[in-house]
Amino acid sequence: MTVTNKQKVYQSVIKELQRYIEINHLNAGDKLPSERELSDKLNAGRSSIREALRALELIGLIETRHGEGTFLNSYQSFQTVELLSSFILTQNNIKHEIPWTKQIIEKEATKLAVENLTEKDIEELEKIDQLYEADDLHHKFFSFLLKRTNNLLMDRIWMLLEEFSSTVPKQYYIDGFYPRLIKSIRDKDYESIECIFTNPS
């Protein structure tokens, strides 16, 4: 599936869910249509629907419970996501700013999380660095850090940008970036954290 088609499916799923929520007067905690129902309504493949739902789950709009289905977390957020996603997906210059914007959030999130991280948390970051590579490493590492900022808005914005990163060429930090960052986190060296993001090589 092309990026354009992927974007259309993503937006269609959001719109269909909005329509379903409004018609059925749903509130947080209520059940949403299944993958099969959405696939039939939107005339899209199940895998495409699943990917779009996963994106919505990542940014906290829905919750999937094993064996039960998909449930609404917050309807109000759908309107914000639709506006922001349409803005990002229709502006070519904005799409190319995604990696830079994500890097700013990742840098500030790291500094914000430092005081909240225990030694056990830092050891978990070291495990993530050892177990994962490239895209998986980046997502796991910063997803963990963002949760430790205790800043829900920053976490959601980053998750949204992380999902939209699939529409632009991937950019990764070099292999030695993560161990250097972990050392600076452990030392609570804010100046070093700033320098690592400024000169990641």
Side-chain angles (χ1 to χ4, degrees):
M1 180 170 60
T2 66
V3 170
T4 300
N5 287 338
K6 182 178 177 181
Q7 292 166 359
K8 285 179 180 176
V9 170
Y10 181 86
Q11 289 176 310
S12 294
V13 169
I14 292 177
K15 287 182 182 297
E16 182 60 34
L17 287 177
Q18 280 183 306
R19 191 176 300 113
Y20 184 89
I21 289 163
E22 289 168 356
I23 291 171
N24 293 280
H25 307 290
L26 299 187
N27 297 306
D30 290 335
K31 192 171 183 178
L32 295 173
S34 66
E35 285 179 13
R36 182 186 298 278
E37 289 174 305
L38 285 172
S39 178
D40 291 340
K41 287 175 183 290
L42 300 175
N43 194 28
R46 291 278 294 276
S47 61
S48 301
I49 298 297
R50 191 175 302 117
E51 188 173 350
L53 290 175
R54 179 178 173 275
L56 294 176
E57 186 171 20
L58 279 174
I59 55 179
L61 300 182
I62 61 175
E63 176 188 2
T64 301
R65 301 174 193 166
H66 184 67
E68 296 183 49
T70 304
F71 296 83
L72 179 65
N73 270 346
S74 172
Y75 172 57
Q76 188 174 5
S77 299
F78 271 85
Q79 297 165 323
T80 304
V81 171
E82 182 186 19
L83 289 172
L84 186 53
S85 63
S86 296
F87 177 64
I88 291 174
L89 294 173
T90 57
Q91 304 293 320
N92 288 327
N93 59 321
I94 294 297
K95 285 192 283 186
H96 292 300
E97 291 173 2
I98 290 174
W100 178 74
T101 305
K102 274 183 63 213
Q103 182 173 316
I104 292 173
I105 293 175
E106 288 159 4
K107 179 181 70 175
E108 296 307 316
T110 302
K111 291 191 286 188
L112 192 59
V114 163
E115 291 299 326
N116 300 327
L117 292 170
T118 64
E119 181 58 32
K120 186 176 179 181
D121 289 332
I122 295 172
E123 289 171 2
E124 183 63 28
L125 286 173
E126 289 175 329
K127 259 188 223 178
I128 291 170
D129 181 40
Q130 293 164 6
L131 291 174
Y132 297 94
E133 295 181 359
D135 200 21
D136 286 338
L137 168 57
H138 184 88
H139 179 80
K140 295 284 186 182
F141 191 94
F142 283 104
S143 179
F144 185 90
L145 267 184
L146 262 294
K147 293 292 186 295
R148 296 308 185 275
T149 64
N150 295 328
N151 186 316
L152 183 60
L153 180 59
M154 183 182 284
D155 186 22
R156 294 288 168 82
I157 291 172
W158 181 81
M159 282 292 189
L160 184 62
L161 292 175
E162 176 76 348
E163 170 61 22
F164 283 123
S165 291
S166 63
T167 67
V168 298
K170 292 288 184 185
Q171 293 185 7
Y172 303 111
Y173 297 121
I174 62 166
D175 290 342
F177 171 88
Y178 300 95
R180 288 169 61 207
L181 188 58
I182 291 170
K183 182 180 184 307
S184 295
I185 289 170
R186 181 173 268 124
D187 295 340
K188 297 187 177 181
D189 188 341
Y190 293 93
E191 185 176 345
S192 176
I193 291 170
E194 185 77 30
C195 290
I196 288 171
F197 278 93
T198 305
N199 301 291
S201 58

mmCIF file of all heavy atoms in Angstrom, residues 78-96:
data_model
loop_
_atom_site.group_PDB
_atom_site.id
_atom_site.type_symbol
_atom_site.label_atom_id
_atom_site.label_comp_id
_atom_site.label_asym_id
_atom_site.label_seq_id
_atom_site.Cartn_x
_atom_site.Cartn_y
_atom_site.Cartn_z
ATOM 1 N N PHE A 78 -10.309 12.932 19.588
ATOM 2 C CA PHE A 78 -10.423 12.581 18.169
ATOM 3 C C PHE A 78 -10.447 13.836 17.303
ATOM 4 O O PHE A 78 -9.883 13.873 16.215
ATOM 5 C CB PHE A 78 -11.699 11.767 17.921
ATOM 6 C CG PHE A 78 -11.501 10.296 18.073
ATOM 7 C CD1 PHE A 78 -11.594 9.699 19.316
ATOM 8 C CD2 PHE A 78 -11.217 9.507 16.973
ATOM 9 C CE1 PHE A 78 -11.426 8.335 19.465
ATOM 10 C CE2 PHE A 78 -11.045 8.141 17.116
ATOM 11 C CZ PHE A 78 -11.146 7.560 18.366
ATOM 12 N N GLN A 79 -11.156 14.870 17.770
ATOM 13 C CA GLN A 79 -11.265 16.092 16.976
ATOM 14 C C GLN A 79 -9.906 16.760 16.810
ATOM 15 O O GLN A 79 -9.555 17.228 15.733
ATOM 16 C CB GLN A 79 -12.262 17.035 17.654
ATOM 17 C CG GLN A 79 -13.659 16.447 17.718
ATOM 18 C CD GLN A 79 -14.553 17.185 18.693
ATOM 19 O OE1 GLN A 79 -14.119 17.621 19.751
ATOM 20 N NE2 GLN A 79 -15.813 17.327 18.335
ATOM 21 N N THR A 80 -9.109 16.771 17.878
ATOM 22 C CA THR A 80 -7.775 17.357 17.812
ATOM 23 C C THR A 80 -6.874 16.559 16.887
ATOM 24 O O THR A 80 -6.141 17.123 16.074
ATOM 25 C CB THR A 80 -7.148 17.399 19.217
ATOM 26 O OG1 THR A 80 -8.016 18.108 20.083
ATOM 27 C CG2 THR A 80 -5.797 18.080 19.191
ATOM 28 N N VAL A 81 -6.930 15.234 16.999
ATOM 29 C CA VAL A 81 -6.094 14.379 16.177
ATOM 30 C C VAL A 81 -6.451 14.523 14.705
ATOM 31 O O VAL A 81 -5.580 14.567 13.833
ATOM 32 C CB VAL A 81 -6.214 12.903 16.610
ATOM 33 C CG1 VAL A 81 -5.528 11.980 15.612
ATOM 34 C CG2 VAL A 81 -5.601 12.723 17.986
ATOM 35 N N GLU A 82 -7.752 14.613 14.404
ATOM 36 C CA GLU A 82 -8.168 14.764 13.008
ATOM 37 C C GLU A 82 -7.616 16.049 12.418
ATOM 38 O O GLU A 82 -7.081 16.066 11.309
ATOM 39 C CB GLU A 82 -9.691 14.774 12.898
ATOM 40 C CG GLU A 82 -10.155 14.869 11.442
ATOM 41 C CD GLU A 82 -11.651 15.026 11.322
ATOM 42 O OE1 GLU A 82 -12.294 15.415 12.300
ATOM 43 O OE2 GLU A 82 -12.157 14.782 10.227
ATOM 44 N N LEU A 83 -7.714 17.151 13.171
ATOM 45 C CA LEU A 83 -7.199 18.428 12.686
ATOM 46 C C LEU A 83 -5.691 18.385 12.489
ATOM 47 O O LEU A 83 -5.167 18.816 11.461
ATOM 48 C CB LEU A 83 -7.563 19.555 13.672
ATOM 49 C CG LEU A 83 -9.032 19.961 13.718
ATOM 50 C CD1 LEU A 83 -9.267 20.931 14.870
ATOM 51 C CD2 LEU A 83 -9.446 20.611 12.399
ATOM 52 N N LEU A 84 -4.991 17.856 13.484
ATOM 53 C CA LEU A 84 -3.535 17.819 13.406
ATOM 54 C C LEU A 84 -3.061 16.874 12.322
ATOM 55 O O LEU A 84 -2.130 17.181 11.574
ATOM 56 C CB LEU A 84 -2.955 17.403 14.768
ATOM 57 C CG LEU A 84 -1.438 17.448 14.908
ATOM 58 C CD1 LEU A 84 -0.889 18.814 14.505
ATOM 59 C CD2 LEU A 84 -1.028 17.111 16.324
ATOM 60 N N SER A 85 -3.710 15.703 12.199
ATOM 61 C CA SER A 85 -3.297 14.743 11.174
ATOM 62 C C SER A 85 -3.532 15.299 9.774
ATOM 63 O O SER A 85 -2.685 15.156 8.895
ATOM 64 C CB SER A 85 -4.046 13.416 11.346
ATOM 65 O OG SER A 85 -5.433 13.599 11.157
ATOM 66 N N SER A 86 -4.664 15.966 9.566
ATOM 67 C CA SER A 86 -4.948 16.557 8.257
ATOM 68 C C SER A 86 -3.917 17.634 7.933
ATOM 69 O O SER A 86 -3.437 17.743 6.800
ATOM 70 C CB SER A 86 -6.352 17.167 8.246
ATOM 71 O OG SER A 86 -7.318 16.171 8.432
ATOM 72 N N PHE A 87 -3.569 18.417 8.923
ATOM 73 C CA PHE A 87 -2.580 19.486 8.736
ATOM 74 C C PHE A 87 -1.229 18.899 8.335
ATOM 75 O O PHE A 87 -0.598 19.326 7.367
ATOM 76 C CB PHE A 87 -2.438 20.276 10.038
ATOM 77 C CG PHE A 87 -1.403 21.360 9.988
ATOM 78 C CD1 PHE A 87 -1.545 22.442 9.132
ATOM 79 C CD2 PHE A 87 -0.282 21.296 10.795
ATOM 80 C CE1 PHE A 87 -0.593 23.450 9.092
ATOM 81 C CE2 PHE A 87 0.676 22.292 10.762
ATOM 82 C CZ PHE A 87 0.519 23.374 9.905
ATOM 83 N N ILE A 88 -0.791 17.861 9.065
ATOM 84 C CA ILE A 88 0.509 17.262 8.790
ATOM 85 C C ILE A 88 0.522 16.580 7.427
ATOM 86 O O ILE A 88 1.462 16.735 6.645
ATOM 87 C CB ILE A 88 0.877 16.239 9.890
ATOM 88 C CG1 ILE A 88 1.158 16.973 11.210
ATOM 89 C CG2 ILE A 88 2.097 15.415 9.493
ATOM 90 C CD1 ILE A 88 1.382 16.052 12.387
ATOM 91 N N LEU A 89 -0.539 15.835 7.119
ATOM 92 C CA LEU A 89 -0.547 15.022 5.910
ATOM 93 C C LEU A 89 -0.741 15.829 4.628
ATOM 94 O O LEU A 89 -0.423 15.350 3.550
ATOM 95 C CB LEU A 89 -1.639 13.956 6.006
ATOM 96 C CG LEU A 89 -1.415 12.892 7.087
ATOM 97 C CD1 LEU A 89 -2.630 12.006 7.208
ATOM 98 C CD2 LEU A 89 -0.186 12.057 6.779
ATOM 99 N N THR A 90 -1.237 17.033 4.741
ATOM 100 C CA THR A 90 -1.494 17.820 3.532
ATOM 101 C C THR A 90 -0.437 18.892 3.285
ATOM 102 O O THR A 90 -0.481 19.570 2.270
ATOM 103 C CB THR A 90 -2.874 18.500 3.595
ATOM 104 O OG1 THR A 90 -2.945 19.325 4.773
ATOM 105 C CG2 THR A 90 -3.986 17.465 3.631
ATOM 106 N N GLN A 91 0.494 19.051 4.193
ATOM 107 C CA GLN A 91 1.535 20.075 4.037
ATOM 108 C C GLN A 91 2.897 19.401 3.870
ATOM 109 O O GLN A 91 3.455 18.888 4.830
ATOM 110 C CB GLN A 91 1.566 21.002 5.265
ATOM 111 C CG GLN A 91 0.248 21.676 5.576
ATOM 112 C CD GLN A 91 -0.158 22.684 4.512
ATOM 113 O OE1 GLN A 91 0.677 23.414 3.988
ATOM 114 N NE2 GLN A 91 -1.432 22.732 4.186
ATOM 115 N N ASN A 92 3.424 19.405 2.646
ATOM 116 C CA ASN A 92 4.696 18.730 2.398
ATOM 117 C C ASN A 92 5.831 19.299 3.245
ATOM 118 O O ASN A 92 6.669 18.572 3.758
ATOM 119 C CB ASN A 92 5.072 18.824 0.914
ATOM 120 C CG ASN A 92 4.190 17.928 0.055
ATOM 121 O OD1 ASN A 92 3.770 16.873 0.508
ATOM 122 N ND2 ASN A 92 3.902 18.360 -1.153
ATOM 123 N N ASN A 93 5.868 20.616 3.380
ATOM 124 C CA ASN A 93 6.955 21.218 4.161
ATOM 125 C C ASN A 93 6.848 20.841 5.638
ATOM 126 O O ASN A 93 7.861 20.667 6.320
ATOM 127 C CB ASN A 93 6.958 22.740 4.000
ATOM 128 C CG ASN A 93 5.649 23.369 4.448
ATOM 129 O OD1 ASN A 93 4.573 22.820 4.211
ATOM 130 N ND2 ASN A 93 5.720 24.518 5.087
ATOM 131 N N ILE A 94 5.608 20.687 6.122
ATOM 132 C CA ILE A 94 5.412 20.299 7.518
ATOM 133 C C ILE A 94 5.901 18.870 7.742
ATOM 134 O O ILE A 94 6.535 18.563 8.754
ATOM 135 C CB ILE A 94 3.921 20.405 7.914
ATOM 136 C CG1 ILE A 94 3.468 21.867 7.876
ATOM 137 C CG2 ILE A 94 3.687 19.810 9.296
ATOM 138 C CD1 ILE A 94 4.179 22.777 8.863
ATOM 139 N N LYS A 95 5.618 17.979 6.785
ATOM 140 C CA LYS A 95 6.033 16.590 6.936
ATOM 141 C C LYS A 95 7.544 16.473 7.111
ATOM 142 O O LYS A 95 8.036 15.657 7.882
ATOM 143 C CB LYS A 95 5.567 15.767 5.731
ATOM 144 C CG LYS A 95 4.077 15.465 5.763
ATOM 145 C CD LYS A 95 3.687 14.424 4.741
ATOM 146 C CE LYS A 95 3.635 15.017 3.343
ATOM 147 N NZ LYS A 95 3.110 14.049 2.364
ATOM 148 N N HIS A 96 8.285 17.318 6.398
ATOM 149 C CA HIS A 96 9.742 17.250 6.491
ATOM 150 C C HIS A 96 10.263 17.849 7.788
ATOM 151 O O HIS A 96 11.441 17.690 8.124
ATOM 152 C CB HIS A 96 10.376 17.955 5.284
ATOM 153 C CG HIS A 96 10.135 17.219 3.996
ATOM 154 N ND1 HIS A 96 10.568 15.921 3.793
ATOM 155 C CD2 HIS A 96 9.486 17.573 2.857
ATOM 156 C CE1 HIS A 96 10.208 15.516 2.583
ATOM 157 N NE2 HIS A 96 9.544 16.497 2.000
#
